[in-house]
Amino acid sequence: MADTEISAAENDEHSQKDVTCIDQAEDIHAERKTMLAVLQECNCCPRCQLRFQNMRWPPMYSDPKPEVLDSSHSSVTLKGDAEQIDNETSDKSTPVCPLCLGILQDLCKKSFIHELGNQLKSEDFEFKNYALTLSLPLELYIRQHLFLIYIKTKKVTINRSDVVDIKDVYKWVCGPLMASELKVPFKLYSPFEVQMTFQNAETEAEVEELLAGPPPKKKKRRFYKPKPLKKEPATKQQVINKLKEKSNEELKEMFSIPPTSPTLCSVCKVEGIHQSIFVAGRYNKYSRSLSQTPWILDGTRMTPSSVQELVCDSMKEMFRASAYNFVASGREDVDVKTLGRGRPFAVELNSPRRTVFTDEDMKSLQEKINSMTTSIAVRDLQIVTREDTSKLKEGEQEKTKDYSALIRLADEVTQEMLDSFSKIEKLTVQQKTPIRVLHRRPLATREKIIHSMSASPVDSHHFKLHLCTQAGTYIKEFVHGDFGRTQPNVSSLLKTEADILTLDVEAVNLDWPKALDT
C-alpha cells in the first residue's frame, strides 16, 4: 500500500514538471512570436529577424524568408531561394532595414559580391585564401540598443548577447560567395584580407549626437586665437560607454524608439591588404659619401641616394608592394665604409601584390641590386618571418663590432705607442653624447667597453688602429676625445693630439640572418 502511495506521488511530481516545461515552452514560443511580429512591424530585413531570435546556424542566413512561427514549434520556417531574396531586397518598395542599414540586404547580394570580386581581381594580388575584415557604422550599436529598449516594452526578455553579430552573419553569407568569385577558400584568418568599410551618410550624425557633450566654456583670449584641435574619430567603446551612461528617458528624447528606416542603403569601400613580407640580408657600403637612410635637411637632399633606397627600391618593384620599412643592425656615418660580411638588415614590404618567391627569385633580386651600383652590395637575401626580425635588436648591449681607423698624431708615431694598445683589455669608456649628434639624441653619459685594440704603423705620423667594441660606441670621439666629452680617449692614452682620418666597419658580430651558399 505504501509503495503504491509513493508511486502515485512520483507520478504527480513528474506530471507537475511536465506541465511546468510545457508552460515554459509556451512562454518562450509566445515571446518569439511577439519578437518576430515587432521585427516585421519595424521593417527589419529577414536576416535581422533571424539575428534577433539568436539563430546561430549559418545556412539559415544564406536564403532566409522567415514566416510567422508555427503554433506547435518554436523554430522559424525557412522558404525561398537566394535569387528570390536578391530580387526582394533590390525592390525599390522594400524599406532599408533600420537595424543593419541595408548591409545584410543589398550589400549581401550576389551581384554586389560579383562587383567586389572584379575589383579585387583588377588589383592583381597573389593569394591562396582570404579573410574578411569588416568595419561597421558606429550608429548600428546605437540602433540595436534603442531596439532592445523598445522590445522590452513588449514584455520580451532579450539581452545584447542574445543578438547574433552582423559581422558573423555577413561572413557566413558572403564568405562563400566571394570565395566562389575569387576561386580561393574563405578562411577566418588569412595573410590576405579583404577589408570592407561600411558607411551610411544619412545616419552617421547619430553618433555625433550621442557623444556630444555640453558646449565648452568660452574664454577671453586677448592676444591670439588658438588653432582648432584635430578631431579624433569616435570609437565603438566610446559609443557603448555613452549608451550605458544615458537613461532610457534621455535616449527617447534624443532618438526615435524604435529606430526608423533610413531612405538610403549603406555604401561599402573595399580594399585588399596582404600581410607584410620581410626580407633579410647583409649589405656592404663602399662609398664615403652615402648615407644609410635618405638625408634631407630643410627640404634639401644632402646625398643623391642612400643605402636604404639602393636596397629597397628594387625590392618594392619586385614584390609590387605599396611601401617599405628599412631596419638595420646599427648605422654607420656617411663617410664610413662597411666591409667584411656586411651589416645585417631587414626590409618590411607592406601589402605586397606578389607574394610567392623561390630561392632563385631571391638570387635574381640580389644580382639585380648588385649590378645597379658599385656603392653597395648585398648578400644572403632571404624571406624571414616578422618574429625573426626581432633578432636585429636582441642582445643590443652584448653585441660587438670590429673597426679599423686611420689615425694621425701630432707627434711622431713610435713602436712603444703602438704596442701600448695591445696591452689594454676591456677598457671602460665614459662617453657624453657627442656634439655632432646632440640634435637627435638626448644628453647623457653612456658607459661603453673597448674589448680589445691593436695598432700597425703607416708612416711617421699615421697608424692603423683595430678595435673590437661594444655596440653603440662612438669611435671618432674615442679617438679625438670630443673636447673631453669622451674619457679616456686615444689622445689622452698617448698624451698627444690625435685625429681620425678614415673609419671602416670591419664586422658586425651578429649571427643573423643565416649565411647562404653563393
Side-chain angles (χ1 to χ4, degrees):
M1 182 68 179
D3 291 342
T4 304
E5 290 177 355
I6 293 173
S7 178
E10 288 178 347
N11 287 336
D12 289 342
E13 185 179 347
H14 288 308
S15 298
Q16 186 62 40
K17 287 183 179 179
D18 291 342
V19 170
T20 302
C21 291
I22 292 171
D23 290 342
Q24 290 176 347
E26 288 179 351
D27 290 342
I28 293 171
H29 176 65
E31 280 196 356
R32 287 196 174 184
K33 198 169 184 179
T34 303
M35 168 72 82
L36 184 58
V38 174
L39 286 162
Q40 291 173 343
E41 287 172 11
C42 294
N43 295 321
C44 299
C45 69
R47 291 187 176 103
C48 280
Q49 293 177 37
L50 289 175
R51 289 198 308 118
F52 276 80
Q53 294 180 88
N54 202 12
M55 298 298 179
R56 298 182 181 271
W57 189 42
M60 299 181 77
Y61 290 89
S62 61
D63 54 356
K65 191 170 177 59
E67 304 292 346
V68 178
L69 294 173
D70 183 89
S71 60
S72 60
H73 298 83
S74 58
S75 61
V76 174
T77 304
L78 299 179
K79 296 181 181 179
D81 54 46
E83 193 62 37
Q84 183 178 354
I85 294 301
D86 274 6
N87 292 336
E88 180 183 335
T89 54
S90 62
D91 187 349
K92 293 182 180 179
S93 64
T94 303
V96 176
C97 176
L99 297 183
C100 71
L101 301 178
I103 292 172
L104 299 182
Q105 291 174 290
D106 285 3
L107 302 187
C108 270
K109 293 197 311 183
K110 288 182 179 179
S111 56
F112 177 73
I113 299 302
H114 179 67
E115 292 176 11
L116 297 190
N118 287 338
Q119 178 183 333
L120 291 169
K121 289 173 188 174
S122 68
E123 295 181 11
D124 200 21
F125 280 97
E126 279 184 353
F127 53 95
K128 296 179 180 178
N129 48 57
Y130 82 100
L132 284 177
T133 302
L134 310 180
S135 176
L136 300 177
L138 293 179
E139 55 268 29
L140 287 177
Y141 301 102
I142 300 175
R143 288 171 162 262
Q144 175 174 299
H145 188 83
L146 299 176
F147 183 79
L148 292 179
I149 292 174
Y150 179 69
I151 197 66
K152 285 178 181 178
T153 65
K154 303 295 183 179
K155 309 301 182 186
V156 175
T157 304
I158 183 172
N159 298 311
R160 194 174 70 178
S161 59
D162 296 327
V163 182
V164 181
D165 193 273
I166 289 179
K167 291 183 180 181
D168 291 337
V169 174
Y170 198 90
K171 291 177 182 180
W172 292 340
V173 175
C174 296
L177 291 178
M178 199 171 290
S180 179
E181 284 290 334
L182 301 177
K183 295 180 171 48
V184 294
F186 166 65
K187 301 285 186 182
L188 291 178
Y189 303 98
S190 168
F192 180 69
E193 292 185 351
V194 178
Q195 296 186 351
M196 306 181 72
T197 303
F198 298 93
Q199 290 179 310
N200 193 299
E202 186 178 346
T203 60
E204 59 187 11
E206 296 171 359
V207 176
E208 294 182 11
E209 185 174 354
L210 175 71
L211 299 180
K217 294 181 180 179
K218 292 184 179 180
K219 294 182 180 179
K220 291 182 179 180
R221 298 183 182 273
R222 298 181 180 179
F223 304 108
Y224 71 97
K225 184 178 180 180
K227 293 182 180 179
L229 297 175
K230 185 178 179 182
K231 191 174 181 180
E232 294 293 331
T235 65
K236 173 185 172 182
Q237 197 57 49
Q238 285 177 324
V239 170
I240 292 173
N241 290 342
K242 203 69 174 181
L243 288 170
K244 289 179 180 178
E245 293 174 12
K246 297 285 186 182
S247 66
N248 291 354
E249 288 70 25
E250 289 176 308
L251 292 172
K252 286 176 184 177
E253 291 180 4
M254 298 172 66
F255 304 105
S256 172
I257 298 181
T260 57
S261 296
T263 57
L264 298 175
C265 179
S266 298
V267 296
C268 180
K269 177 186 175 183
V270 180
E271 185 179 11
I273 300 289
H274 199 287
Q275 283 183 3
S276 296
I277 290 180
F278 295 84
V279 176
R282 287 177 174 265
Y283 73 80
N284 292 107
K285 182 165 86 75
Y286 302 119
S287 169
R288 295 198 189 276
S289 58
L290 185 68
S291 58
Q292 187 189 70
T293 55
W295 185 14
I296 301 172
L297 289 178
D298 299 326
T300 302
R301 285 198 71 122
M302 306 305 291
T303 56
S305 187
S306 64
V307 174
Q308 173 182 301
E309 291 162 299
L310 293 174
V311 171
C312 299
D313 285 351
S314 294
M315 286 189 190
K316 180 183 176 184
E317 180 183 354
M318 184 171 174
F319 283 76
R320 303 208 307 273
S322 60
Y324 59 74
N325 297 310
F326 177 84
V327 182
S329 179
R331 63 167 57 230
E332 67 283 307
D333 291 337
V334 171
D335 59 349
V336 175
K337 292 183 179 182
T338 299
L339 307 175
R341 291 191 58 238
R343 186 184 296 276
F345 70 89
V347 180
E348 178 184 7
L349 294 145
N350 305 122
S351 193
R353 281 167 167 74
R354 185 181 172 192
T355 59
V356 180
F357 291 88
T358 63
D359 292 343
E360 289 302 317
D361 291 330
M362 299 309 294
K363 286 182 181 178
S364 297
L365 175 60
Q366 182 170 299
E367 291 170 1
K368 179 181 179 181
I369 294 171
N370 292 341
S371 66
M372 292 176 64
T373 179
T374 57
S375 296
I376 67 156
V378 295
R379 69 173 70 205
D380 300 335
L381 287 190
Q382 55 198 277
I383 294 177
V384 297
T385 65
R386 180 186 293 273
E387 291 71 27
D388 286 336
T389 62
S390 63
K391 294 175 183 176
L392 275 174
K393 299 300 179 184
E394 285 178 4
E396 193 70 35
Q397 297 304 312
E398 292 77 20
K399 183 176 60 184
T400 62
K401 297 180 181 179
D402 297 342
Y403 297 90
S404 63
L406 177 61
I407 296 174
R408 185 187 187 281
L409 293 185
D411 295 341
E412 286 194 6
V413 177
T414 66
Q415 189 61 44
E416 183 181 0
M417 290 178 177
L418 302 181
D419 291 342
S420 67
F421 288 108
S422 60
K423 298 175 183 177
I424 300 174
E425 291 185 1
K426 292 192 178 299
L427 177 66
T428 299
V429 177
Q430 303 294 328
Q431 290 198 315
K432 190 174 286 186
T433 304
I435 294 172
R436 64 189 174 92
V437 299
L438 267 175
H439 65 284
R440 59 182 172 85
R441 294 208 68 180
L443 179 62
T445 299
R446 298 173 180 85
E447 187 176 279
K448 298 295 178 180
I449 297 174
I450 310 292
H451 292 282
S452 63
M453 289 184 285
S454 64
S456 56
V458 174
D459 58 34
S460 59
H461 284 275
H462 298 85
F463 70 94
K464 273 280 186 80
L465 180 63
H466 306 276
L467 312 93
C468 177
T469 75
Q470 181 182 352
T473 305
Y474 290 101
I475 305 302
K476 293 177 180 178
E477 283 67 26
F478 172 67
V479 173
H480 56 63
D482 196 25
F483 302 103
R485 296 165 71 85
T486 293
Q487 292 291 343
N489 54 68
V490 171
S491 293
S492 66
L493 292 172
L494 298 182
K495 297 180 172 52
T496 182
E497 185 179 339
D499 200 5
I500 186 167
L501 302 182
T502 63
L503 178 64
D504 297 328
V505 180
E506 298 288 352
V508 178
N509 299 313
L510 178 66
D511 189 20
W512 187 89
K514 67 179 180 180
L516 302 178
D517 295 333
T518 56

